Amino acid sequence: MTRSIILRSRQVRVLATLGPASNTPDMIAKLFLAGADAFRVNMSHGDQASKVEVIQAIRALEKRYGRPTTILADLQGPKLRVGRFAAGRVDLAHGATFVLDRDPTPGDATRVELPHREIFAAVEPGARLLLDDGKLVLRVVDHEPDRIITNVEIGGPLSNNKGLNVPDVVLPMAALTDKDRSDLAFAIEQGVDWIALSFVQRPEDLAEARKLIGGRAALMAKIEKPAAIDRLNEIVELCDGVMVARGDLGVELPPQAVPPLQKRIVETARRLGRPVVVATQMLESMIKSPSPTRAEVSDVATAVYDGADAIMLSAESAAGDWPVESVAMMDAIGTSVERDPMHGDRVRFTETRPDPTTADALAEAAKNIAITISAKAIICFTTSGSTARRVARERPSIPLLVLTPRMETARRLGMLWGAHAVHTRDVDSFEEMVAKSKRMALRHGLANAGDRVIIMAGVPFRTPGATNVLHVVSIIGDELHSHK
């Protein structure tokens, strides 16, 4: 039996990262009630054992509130770091020569170990090396098999094991490390819904992760490397969803380059029908403050106006002082923007031409019919979720009620714009489809007596990928009373 479940009043989804400030069952429930539609488990911090209870607490919400929950496990990816210094830290002077080599001897102001042999073969004179999140900039002057000679363009203090970014070349490194493979296996065993892959540089980077996942979760590509932008279309086509990882993009690119790229990534993902998440530093000041800056609110609003499927909180909900308030603020911004009469026009500014398929044609028709007849909801029956994704790509102006017999599908759709997924038994006939649609629309508060709803399904029933029916029905008073 399907119970009543919490219905969000907004279409954009809120993805909240869990961490020390929010990983107890009580806090997870508070974040959910404040507006979190999905939860990010960051595999970069803590061990696997500590994640088990967190995942169980998220799943417990399903029984408590009758709504499928969505979990994204975010893999760490390769972390490039310099070695250690004899004094723990040094000061690199502007214009000085600094050498990165394979010698494990603790370094000084002239050299340090770089324990990543792939970089030595890939760099060329003129390439930049960024240290400590871009605070220091080195320019490659010359390189040998075991030495990279650089000129310090922007100096400053550098301490042990600081991070290194190489934005100007494609590194011959796999996106998955041994730790990632272990974390991925653990996450799949725990039944997470999405795997986020870091350090994606080219389409081929997705292949190993896709094989290891084996269809048991959806794959999200994090766009955080400039090299990925050059092959963006190919990458987006090969994954199930995309994350605009603005933090790392902002390290490897000038800050002013990130906003246009964000729009380009969102537009590409929407055009190709993949859910897209905008992430990093959205409400950064709320790590310490109970309210955001006006600029942060505008930043979040821009992502909503652009039609992003989800907006993400990182440290704000994971380690900040105001995790519940941060989620509530995301919820409030999304709700406010979507009430703007101009929101519909702006969110559909991106042209999403349908593919020459019956399913795409029906999805576009459903959006247009909804406007013409003032329908209250689009209801789609789906096994894999593909019908829901096609409809959501059109950004209809009314709620999308998704009925699926697979809990895995219902959970994955927690990252999809406007999707209100319900796990329920499949139907066997056209009459049962119509009756169930009316019943579910009433039960979930999406329609009342006299309202019309649009139904999409595939006949014969129980055949994945066979969407070929679009049907409009009216809900009459007798059905309202029988529902009660």
Side-chain angles (χ1 to χ4, degrees), residues 344-392:
D345 291 336
R346 293 182 179 179
V347 85
R348 285 187 286 276
F349 182 78
T350 296
E351 188 175 10
T352 53
R353 294 181 179 177
D355 294 331
T357 64
T358 301
D360 268 26
L362 291 179
E364 184 181 37
K367 177 194 72 175
N368 296 330
I369 291 170
I371 296 170
T372 303
I373 69 172
S374 300
K376 294 298 182 181
I378 297 173
I379 303 170
C380 69
F381 290 79
T382 183
T383 301
S384 67
S386 63
T387 304
R389 288 190 295 273
R390 292 173 191 274
V391 175

Side-chain angles (χ1 to χ4, degrees), residues 1 6 24 60 95 122 152 171 177 206 214 230 255 288 321 370 424 461 475:
M1 176 180 177
I6 291 177
T24 65
V152 180
L171 295 176
T177 65
L206 300 168
D230 296 332
K288 293 298 181 184
D321 295 338
T424 183
F461 294 102
I475 297 175

Side-chain angles (χ1 to χ4, degrees), residues 32-49:
F32 172 77
L33 293 173
D37 300 289
F39 296 94
R40 171 177 173 252
V41 177
N42 189 353
M43 303 307 294
S44 299
H45 304 295
D47 58 15
Q48 293 176 359

Side-chain angles (χ1 to χ4, degrees), residues 238-447:
L238 290 175
C239 65
D240 302 305
V242 179
M243 181 185 293
V244 189
R246 306 184 305 175
D248 287 284
L249 270 178
V251 170
E252 301 206 358
L253 292 167
Q256 67 271 20
V258 176
L261 280 179
Q262 173 180 318
K263 288 185 177 292
R264 179 180 165 191
I265 297 165
V266 170
E267 180 181 352
T268 301
R270 285 194 52 197
R271 184 166 40 80
L272 294 174
R274 304 295 191 274
V276 56
V277 180
V278 176
T280 323
Q281 297 176 323
M282 301 210 81
L283 297 176
E284 186 85 352
S285 66
M286 288 193 75
I287 295 173
K288 293 298 181 184
S289 170
S291 59
T293 67
R294 301 301 177 267
E296 289 169 337
V297 173
S298 293
D299 175 45
V300 175
T302 295
V304 180
Y305 277 120
D306 287 344
D309 291 81
I311 44 181
M312 191 181 101
L313 292 165
S314 301
E316 303 96 327
S317 59
D321 295 338
W322 307 92
V324 177
E325 290 79 3
S326 296
V327 171
M329 180 55 64
M330 283 291 220
D331 177 72
I333 297 168
T335 300
S336 176
V337 169
E338 291 178 6
R339 285 176 180 163
D340 178 2
M342 296 301 295
H343 170 257
D345 291 336
R346 293 182 179 179
V347 85
R348 285 187 286 276
F349 182 78
T350 296
E351 188 175 10
T352 53
R353 294 181 179 177
D355 294 331
T357 64
T358 301
D360 268 26
L362 291 179
E364 184 181 37
K367 177 194 72 175
N368 296 330
I369 291 170
I371 296 170
T372 303
I373 69 172
S374 300
K376 294 298 182 181
I378 297 173
I379 303 170
C380 69
F381 290 79
T382 183
T383 301
S384 67
S386 63
T387 304
R389 288 190 295 273
R390 292 173 191 274
V391 175
R393 185 172 74 163
E394 301 299 325
R395 297 298 188 255
S397 56
I398 56 176
L400 172 60
L401 178 61
V402 185
L403 306 179
T404 178
R406 296 187 67 224
M407 178 59 92
E408 295 82 1
T409 297
R411 288 168 173 168
R412 291 179 196 178
L413 292 175
M415 213 75 76
L416 185 68
W417 192 90
H420 180 69
V422 177
H423 176 226
T424 183
R425 189 180 62 82
D426 210 348
V427 295
D428 294 308
S429 68
F430 193 89
E431 292 74 16
E432 187 183 358
M433 175 193 78
V434 171
K436 185 160 199 159
S437 296
K438 294 179 178 180
R439 189 168 65 249
M440 287 295 182
L442 290 166
R443 178 175 296 169
H444 296 285
L446 294 174

Side-chain angles (χ1 to χ4, degrees), residues 136-148:
L136 290 78
V137 179
L138 311 178
R139 183 76 63 172
V140 176
V141 176
D142 197 4
H143 68 105
E144 303 167 4
D146 292 322
R147 278 164 50 90
I148 301 173

